Amino acid sequence: MSTWRFDQAATRKSLAWMIVKDEYPFSCADGEGFSDLCATGMPKFQIPSRQTVSRDCYELYVAERLNLKKLLQLECQRVCLTTDTQTSIQRINYMCITAHFIDRKWKVQKIILNFCPISSHRGENIGKAIEKCLNDWGIDEVMTITVNNARSSDTAIAFLKKKMKNWPDGCVMNSEFLHM
């Protein structure tokens, strides 16, 4: 047997991971049931406020984003992107961009790079949002981009082809097979 020591910081980090993994609201730590559980299982744990939980989750996001950037730099030669746009019930336009690549151990990786609001479903706006996302992540070697069959997707890909021609290693075979 070994001795165990309570660690407030580690427990707060674990709470943040629980909220992210299980998609709980930040307020879950405010509940009476959670308080009873902590009083029974971890009586030394000082339950953080909703604002502190929110801050802990954001710090977790920042750290994980840095880890993913390192993974992309070290393990990735080329990425294949998939993207799609939707409109929410509140009439807000959204776009999701996912990167797919094979790492050095030949394992397929799939990472959501961005889930963001966009100003419209116009092709140039979509292309600019994809370009900004690639720049933010430091991705400059793209193999393919898979999109739906909307006309705006053709415009977005045409916009990106023009931009990527100026990138040192932007596309394979002069962007001939970029659009999927």
Side-chain angles (χ1 to χ4, degrees), residues 24 29 50 54 77 80 89 109 113 128 131 149 177 179:
Y24 291 138
R50 186 180 313 184
S54 169
Q77 294 295 314
C80 296
I89 198 165
Q109 300 288 331
L113 297 177
K128 286 178 181 177
E131 178 189 23
N149 61 353
F177 301 106
H179 188 178

Side-chain angles (χ1 to χ4, degrees), residues 141-154:
E141 296 179 341
V142 178
M143 179 75 88
T144 62
I145 302 175
T146 303
V147 293
N148 63 16
N149 61 353
R151 283 175 85 65
S152 59
S153 296
D154 296 337

Side-chain angles (χ1 to χ4, degrees), residues 86-155:
Q86 303 91 23
T87 303
S88 73
I89 198 165
Q90 296 89 2
R91 308 215 16 95
I92 299 170
N93 301 316
Y94 288 96
M95 178 171 62
C96 183
I97 304 170
T98 307
H100 309 264
F101 64 94
I102 298 172
D103 66 17
R104 293 177 193 257
K105 295 178 183 173
W106 286 91
K107 184 177 177 190
V108 176
Q109 300 288 331
K110 175 183 166 185
I111 300 169
I112 294 177
L113 297 177
N114 205 355
F115 189 85
C116 62
I118 54 173
S119 57
S120 76
H121 288 279
R122 291 185 56 229
E124 191 168 315
N125 290 340
I126 293 169
K128 286 178 181 177
I130 294 171
E131 178 189 23
K132 181 182 180 325
C133 176
L134 293 174
N135 288 332
D136 288 349
W137 280 92
I139 297 172
D140 59 3
E141 296 179 341
V142 178
M143 179 75 88
T144 62
I145 302 175
T146 303
V147 293
N148 63 16
N149 61 353
R151 283 175 85 65
S152 59
S153 296
D154 296 337
T155 306

Side-chain angles (χ1 to χ4, degrees), residues 16-74:
W17 269 113
M18 179 191 78
I19 288 170
V20 170
K21 286 180 183 177
D22 296 337
E23 300 176 14
Y24 291 138
F26 297 139
S27 63
C28 76
D30 294 340
E32 188 178 333
F34 186 77
S35 180
D36 291 345
L37 173 69
C38 290
T40 304
M42 300 176 289
K44 291 184 178 181
F45 183 53
Q46 296 173 352
I47 299 173
S49 69
R50 186 180 313 184
Q51 291 78 16
T52 301
V53 170
S54 169
R55 193 172 45 251
D56 289 349
C57 288
Y58 182 74
E59 288 172 6
L60 189 64
Y61 161 77
V62 170
E64 285 302 303
R65 181 177 166 90
L66 286 173
N67 290 338
L68 287 175
K69 272 187 163 184
K70 287 178 189 171
L71 176 72
L72 285 168
Q73 290 172 353
L74 298 174

